[in-house]
Amino acid sequence: MAEVLEISRQALHDQVITRLRTLLIEGRIAPGAKLNERELCEQLRVSRTPLREAIKLLAAEGLVDLIPNRGAVAVRLTEADVLHTFEMLGMLEATSGELAARRISKEELAELRALHYEMLACYEREDLPGYYEFNAKIHNAINAAAHNPVLTSTYHSINARVQSLRYRTNQDAAKWKHAIQEHEQMMQALSERDSAGMRAILLEHLQRKRDLVLELLHAGKLYPGAPAPHGETRRSA
């Protein structure tokens, strides 16, 4: 019985983390907004203990900031944060792609193709949440195919902080289509074991994401209506 209860607790823990992470990534909890524990407990139908455990984990992932005297706040990045994070993330993804092209197994390549086709199906249906889910799985699978655990650990810790920004960059039809074309190029480079080509594609892919995030930020469209981050003063338009 104890084992069954332990499994149940773990399943609940994982479910709360997954649902709360989705709310943050999709912007349903506005960047810069304080996480209201009472409301989230009601929404997720859980007690405060698993919710607080989930918040701590998501803070470690970089999706939540824990601010003294204010509590947990959905992360909202500054322009400097974006530049620094994407600079490092671009190098990590480029290295992942380069190593994956050399080391990926036939089974891993077949799984990536399957994920790619699932992502394309979501694109055709204009299913952005579904598209993002498979897109994230693809980037994670490329990283995993590099077979470097240190690279993987570093990649996940940095990528988590910009997940919600990557989600927002595909809400423009033309840019979404271009992202699809870049993913087609990635699959071709992997199939051809073109490590230099794979590195170049991923580096350009991340630079394009960075530039779009900055464009949205400067236009006031990245965090529309979101509260200003702790200690930041809004500038008038």
Side-chain angles (χ1 to χ4, degrees):
M1 176 66 74
E3 183 178 355
V4 173
L5 288 174
E6 182 62 34
I7 292 172
S8 177
R9 288 194 195 99
Q10 186 61 43
L12 175 63
H13 178 263
D14 293 344
Q15 185 182 55
V16 174
I17 291 169
T18 298
R19 293 170 67 188
L20 185 55
R21 184 187 289 115
T22 298
L23 293 175
L24 290 162
I25 289 173
E26 295 185 2
R28 285 185 271 171
I29 298 177
K34 186 179 185 299
L35 275 62
N36 186 307
E37 290 189 3
R38 182 182 57 78
E39 290 181 1
L40 285 171
C41 285
E42 292 177 0
Q43 183 176 357
L44 301 176
R45 297 182 180 178
V46 295
S47 66
R48 292 202 174 189
T49 297
L51 177 66
R52 286 174 176 172
E53 290 174 353
I55 289 173
K56 287 180 182 178
L57 180 66
L58 294 175
E61 289 186 6
L63 287 171
V64 173
D65 283 329
L66 299 178
I67 300 174
N69 303 319
R70 191 177 175 204
V73 176
V75 71
R76 178 180 176 184
L77 302 183
T78 65
E79 180 173 346
D81 292 331
V82 171
L83 287 169
H84 295 154
T85 305
F86 273 92
E87 181 177 53
M88 181 57 66
L89 191 59
M91 290 188 286
L92 292 171
E93 290 230 13
T95 301
S96 296
E98 180 180 1
L99 294 177
R102 297 177 190 169
R103 301 172 179 175
I104 194 168
S105 67
K106 290 181 180 179
E107 293 76 14
E108 287 171 327
L109 184 57
E111 177 61 22
L112 261 169
R113 286 198 184 101
L115 292 172
H116 179 70
Y117 292 134
E118 292 279 8
M119 186 184 73
L120 290 180
C122 291
Y123 171 72
E124 293 298 332
R125 294 195 299 268
E126 298 184 353
D127 174 9
L128 183 57
Y131 171 91
Y132 178 80
E133 178 183 351
F134 285 106
N135 181 283
K137 288 180 179 179
I138 287 169
H139 282 276
N140 287 335
I142 291 171
N143 176 267
H147 297 284
N148 184 317
V150 177
L151 175 62
T152 294
S153 176
T154 307
Y155 168 74
H156 284 309
S157 67
I158 294 176
N159 184 51
R161 197 157 177 84
V162 295
Q163 284 186 71
S164 62
L165 303 187
R166 296 181 78 155
Y167 179 87
R168 289 177 180 80
T169 58
N170 289 320
Q171 296 183 17
D172 176 280
K175 292 179 174 64
W176 194 2
K177 182 177 181 180
H178 196 279
I180 285 289
Q181 293 169 349
E182 288 177 329
H183 272 267
E184 295 278 10
Q185 293 169 3
M186 290 176 207
M187 293 307 303
Q188 182 176 351
L190 283 172
S191 298
E192 296 174 356
R193 305 283 176 168
D194 181 2
S195 58
M198 189 64 175
R199 182 180 184 85
I201 293 164
L202 276 162
L203 191 58
E204 182 178 349
H205 186 66
L206 264 290
Q207 289 172 342
R208 194 178 300 279
K209 290 285 183 185
R210 176 205 62 198
D211 292 345
L212 180 53
V213 167
L214 291 174
E215 179 184 321
L216 293 171
L217 182 63
H218 295 157
K221 297 178 181 178
L222 191 61
Y223 300 126
H230 182 66
E232 178 182 303
T233 302
R234 285 184 180 272
R235 291 179 298 178
S236 58

